[in-house]
Amino acid sequence: MKNDSATKNELVSAIENEAKFRIDGFIQGAIDLAEEVHADVKREDGIASFLETHVWPVTIDVIRHYKLANKPLTTLQIVSSMLHDVMEDNEKILDLYTAKAYGFDAYFRHRFGDYVYNIAMILKVKPLESYQGSNDNERQTERFREYCSVLASSEYDVKTIKLADRLNNMRFIARVHGHEKIGRYIREAEDFYLAYSIIPPCMGDFYTEIRKAYEDLRNVKVNTEFVIKNKSK
């Protein structure tokens, strides 16, 4: 599970040759929507394509997990993987679909069905202002607790997609030295994601890779702090 980036052609190849599905209208529609929503989105370094370093690789990792675990794989899991982040960028979505009087939510649900829609909604992180607290740190803590509770009781497909998503994010942010997400991902791995990967249903492949990504992030953090400390002398 070393898939940090992928082109659309590599995604299509994985779907056709590894998952053994043809690119039908359902899958092509998901590819088209992901491209429409995420086309110009960059990662935390301001350079890398969100599609090629997140959406496509996460989808391929989900496919490979199901094959490795010998679990039934359908186009629902593949499409859900491709569209797991489309509900996050609300402003862009609203701009894209202002012409649709019934709204993007209704369009998305109608086009891809309740199953795909519900997974996207479960994985969507709610706005911070939805939570109580005297400051942002308290609200972030409350949001994280609620999100973990939802994930812990979610179905296998949700768990698989979320672990693939988090693994990808941890690996990528390790390249962006000094980014504030490094510390957050370390804390969240310690508090939840490492244990989440091995509580039933256990996903040992994700545990191994998330553990390695966690250790890499810790090393990056220590090295960055060492450099900063020496510069300040």
Side-chain angles (χ1 to χ4, degrees):
M1 203 177 285
K2 292 283 186 183
N3 198 51
D4 292 336
S5 65
T7 64
K8 182 167 71 171
N9 286 341
E10 288 170 330
L11 169 70
V12 169
S13 177
I15 293 170
E16 292 180 332
N17 299 318
E18 297 181 46
K20 306 298 183 184
F21 289 109
R22 66 182 181 84
I23 306 300
D24 60 10
F26 188 49
I27 293 175
Q28 187 60 55
I31 292 173
D32 292 344
L33 181 60
E35 287 184 317
E36 188 174 8
V37 172
H38 301 306
D40 300 322
V41 179
K42 303 299 181 184
R43 298 299 295 271
E44 289 84 353
D45 63 354
I47 299 171
S49 161
F50 187 74
L51 279 169
E52 294 193 347
T53 64
H54 187 72
V55 179
W56 304 155
V58 165
T59 304
I60 293 172
D61 278 350
V62 168
I63 289 170
R64 289 175 178 167
H65 167 79
Y66 276 89
K67 303 302 286 186
L68 180 67
N70 198 28
K71 293 284 186 180
L73 175 66
T74 72
T75 56
L76 284 172
Q77 290 99 337
I78 294 171
V79 167
S80 295
S81 301
M82 277 192 275
L83 300 181
H84 75 275
D85 267 331
V86 298
M87 303 303 288
E88 295 286 354
D89 200 350
N90 290 331
E91 290 185 6
K92 184 171 184 181
I93 287 170
L94 290 174
D95 288 342
L96 284 169
Y97 290 92
T98 49
K100 298 182 183 296
Y102 47 86
F104 180 77
D105 275 33
Y107 163 76
F108 183 70
R109 195 168 200 159
H110 174 75
R111 178 67 180 82
F112 297 101
D114 286 345
Y115 194 84
V116 175
Y117 173 83
N118 288 337
I119 287 181
M121 292 304 294
I122 289 170
L123 294 175
K124 179 180 178 179
V125 177
K126 295 178 183 177
L128 203 58
E129 55 267 25
S130 302
Y131 297 88
Q132 294 184 344
S134 59
N135 54 57
D136 281 351
N137 285 337
E138 290 184 3
R139 285 186 281 272
Q140 286 170 353
T141 298
E142 184 60 29
R143 179 171 67 180
F144 180 64
R145 287 173 180 166
E146 180 186 89
Y147 195 61
C148 291
S149 178
V150 170
L151 290 177
S153 60
S154 293
E155 298 294 331
Y156 193 95
D157 293 346
V158 172
K159 181 172 183 174
T160 303
I161 294 169
K162 184 59 198 180
L163 287 175
D165 169 83
R166 178 48 60 112
L167 174 60
N168 176 277
N169 286 336
M170 291 173 73
R171 282 176 171 165
F172 187 87
I173 209 64
R175 308 178 202 168
V176 190
H177 292 196
H179 199 284
E180 60 86 18
K181 285 185 179 179
I182 291 175
R184 177 161 69 85
Y185 285 169
I186 289 171
R187 291 192 304 273
E188 291 180 356
E190 293 170 341
D191 290 346
F192 181 70
Y193 286 103
L194 284 167
Y196 181 50
S197 63
I198 54 176
I199 60 174
C202 177
M203 299 183 178
D205 53 335
F206 280 117
Y207 173 78
T208 300
E209 295 299 331
I210 288 176
R211 180 78 197 186
K212 184 179 184 305
Y214 161 73
E215 291 170 353
D216 289 344
L217 283 177
R218 282 176 57 89
N219 289 334
V220 168
K221 187 172 185 291
V222 168
N223 291 338
T224 300
E225 289 172 347
F226 178 78
V227 170
I228 292 172
K229 183 178 179 180
N230 283 344
K231 282 184 177 180
S232 65
K233 288 182 178 179

